[in-house]
Each structure stands twice: as structure tokens, then as C-alpha cells.
Amino acid sequence: MNARIRRSAVAVVAAAVLPLSLAACSDDGDSGSSDSAQAESSAPAAGDEQSSDTSGDMAGMDEPFGPACSTVPKEGAGSFDGMAKDPVATAASNNPALSTLVTAVKKAGLVDTLNNAENITVFAPTNDAFAKIPKADLDKVLNDKAMLTDILTYHVVGQKLAPKDLENGSFDTLQKSKLTTSGSDESYTVNDSAKVVCGNVKTANANVYIIDTVLMPKS
């Protein structure tokens, strides 16, 4: 009788303990899976955020900058996207702020030269920059092809310059003399006289820095 009672008691205890053990194992497994899944789901999110932040920073660094950029058309051939599709002389012809420069380039017969060049940088004076020159002097330059060519090719460097390159630079121009650049943090000056008012504008074959003063080569 006592043996039967003991066996019954053991059976009861086993019956009670076994479900508890299984439940504990099940809880541990679920917890581990849950924690693992949570870690996995959160990890890509952090990675995505980091990737997004990084690419956003990189994109920001490669955008046009400067106060005059706000005057560039928002859409169409004269917009930043439109200019990026055309070679530099054609792109400039679609930007209303560069119409005097375009007239000068046509008079000098440099349209094809600029459009067919590869990997160049153009420092492009605005209409207001040309307006700083007394009208009589400007008319004289516009009607002297040799002098005009000399001045315009002085605004062209035979390599693509990124903003960082302008921080403290000296570059050979197509006119065969040098120009200098200085500055930082989207504030740059050329030859200590012309300020970049809209920089890092992309065209199909050139980087363009729009400036507020016409550069004059040393004679």
C-alpha cells in the first residue's frame, strides 16, 4: 500500500513538474527568438538611418550654393537640372543672368570651343558684373575680338574644380595665365576681387562658378 502511494505521489509530482519545465523551455525559446528578432529589426533601421544621413550629407555637399542661386529658374532649360544636360555655352544661354556673357562668347566665336571642351571650370560673370564696366569700355571690348577672347578665356580653367579646390588655389587658365581662388564654407573669392555668388553649378562638360565681377588678365 505504501509502495502504491509512493508511486502515485511520484507520478503526480512528475505530471506537475513536466508541464512547468516545458513551459519554461518554451518561454526561454520565445524570449530568445523575440529578442533576436527585435535586435535584427532594429539593426537595419539604424543602418538605414545612418546611410540616409550620410548620403544626405554627401548630396548637400554637391549642390549649388550662394545667394544668387535663388534667381536661377526652378525648372526648364535654364534650371540647374536643365543646365546639367547641356554643354556649358548652351547651358549659359538658357540662364537669363548670363545673357551678356553669352553675347560676348558669341562675338568672340568661342561657343564651339567651350561646348566641345572636356572637364573644364568656367567662372561666369553675371550681367551685373559686366554692368560694372563703363559702357564705352565694354563696347570697345565687345568689338575687339582679340581682346574679348583674351578676357573670356581667362575665365576658363582646364580642369573641373570642386568647391574644396577653391579654398587656396592657383590655376592655369585657357588664356595661359593664372588666376587665384580663396575662401571656405561656400564663401569664395577669385583674384581677391570677384565673389562667387552661385557656385558648383553643373553642366554636361563643366563646373560653373557664377561671379559678380569680370576678371581681367594681367597684361
Side-chain angles (χ1 to χ4, degrees):
M1 184 71 180
N2 289 338
R4 265 195 231 102
I5 293 173
R6 281 199 298 273
R7 282 197 296 272
S8 298
V10 169
V12 169
V13 170
V17 170
L18 184 59
L20 291 175
S21 299
L22 292 174
C25 290
S26 175
D27 287 346
D28 288 345
D30 290 347
S31 175
S33 299
S34 176
D35 291 345
S36 175
Q38 184 175 357
E40 288 175 3
S41 63
S42 62
D48 290 346
E49 182 178 354
Q50 182 177 4
S51 174
S52 174
D53 289 347
T54 303
S55 62
D57 291 344
M58 291 299 290
M61 291 171 62
D62 202 38
E63 293 293 321
F65 62 84
C69 290
S70 62
T71 66
V72 174
K74 302 300 182 187
E75 55 187 27
S79 66
F80 291 128
D81 288 341
M83 291 179 72
K85 298 174 184 177
D86 291 322
V88 63
T90 302
S93 71
N94 293 319
N95 188 321
L98 301 177
S99 59
T100 306
L101 173 63
V102 171
T103 297
V105 168
K106 288 178 179 177
K107 281 182 171 289
L110 292 174
V111 172
D112 289 341
T113 299
L114 293 177
N115 276 348
N116 293 327
E118 295 182 2
N119 299 323
I120 59 175
T121 294
V122 176
F123 293 93
T126 62
N127 295 344
D128 290 341
F130 281 100
K132 292 180 181 180
I133 302 173
K135 187 177 185 306
D137 293 340
L138 180 58
D139 288 343
K140 180 181 178 180
V141 169
L142 290 175
N143 289 295
D144 185 331
K145 187 174 180 179
M147 184 186 300
L148 185 59
T149 299
D150 208 41
I151 292 172
L152 293 176
T153 53
Y154 184 63
H155 289 74
V156 184
V157 172
Q159 59 181 301
K160 280 189 176 180
L161 301 177
K164 189 171 181 61
D165 296 325
L166 305 186
E167 290 182 359
N168 185 20
S170 177
F171 307 101
D172 291 323
T173 70
L174 297 192
Q175 187 264 345
K176 305 300 183 186
S177 59
K178 290 184 179 291
L179 60 74
T180 61
T181 59
S182 59
S184 62
D185 297 330
E186 301 186 353
S187 177
Y188 298 98
T189 303
V190 186
N191 285 357
D192 296 322
S193 60
K195 294 186 181 302
V196 174
V197 293
C198 184
N200 204 31
V201 178
K202 305 296 176 60
T203 72
N205 66 328
N207 286 350
V208 177
Y209 293 87
I210 299 174
I211 54 178
D212 67 354
T213 303
V214 177
L215 305 173
M216 293 295 179
K218 294 178 181 178
S219 54

